Amino acid sequence: RVLGISMDGSSGKQQAKEFIVRHNLDFPSLIGEPQQVAALYSELTGHPWYGTPTFLLYSPSGELSAQQVGAVPPRLIEQHIEKH
């Protein structure tokens, strides 16, 4: 499953929705406040927030199996999933 999290907050909600439509994103996307999303990231990973895009991959049991700051080619994500 894929879940998107936007850091646009309530003030950028409309722009985030337009981005979702423009890029035809077919997975759920949440819109959070920047400070809250950054704090949650740090809590989940034990690392400070660096920026977007950031990818977190979880195992089916809910364990964090990989994280990456910056763009990641879809094929690399697929390879990671296939190995784990």
Side-chain angles (χ1 to χ4, degrees):
R1 295 183 187 170
V2 174
L3 174 65
I5 302 176
S6 165
M7 296 182 72
D8 293 296
S10 58
S11 65
K13 187 175 182 177
Q14 185 59 40
Q15 292 90 338
K17 287 181 175 183
E18 291 169 5
F19 179 91
I20 291 166
V21 170
R22 184 171 56 252
H23 293 279
N24 196 28
L25 302 181
D26 62 353
F27 49 84
S29 293
L30 306 176
I31 300 172
E33 298 299 326
Q35 292 176 333
Q36 292 173 327
V37 174
L40 179 60
Y41 174 85
S42 294
E43 181 182 323
L44 292 172
T45 66
H47 298 285
W49 173 254
Y50 291 109
T52 61
T54 296
F55 293 85
L56 300 176
L57 297 177
Y58 287 87
S59 70
S61 64
E63 293 182 49
L64 181 62
S65 66
Q67 59 187 7
Q68 173 68 41
V69 177
V72 179
R75 186 66 197 138
L76 290 180
I77 297 171
E78 292 167 356
Q79 289 172 350
H80 176 81
I81 291 169
E82 290 169 3
K83 288 180 184 178
H84 297 91

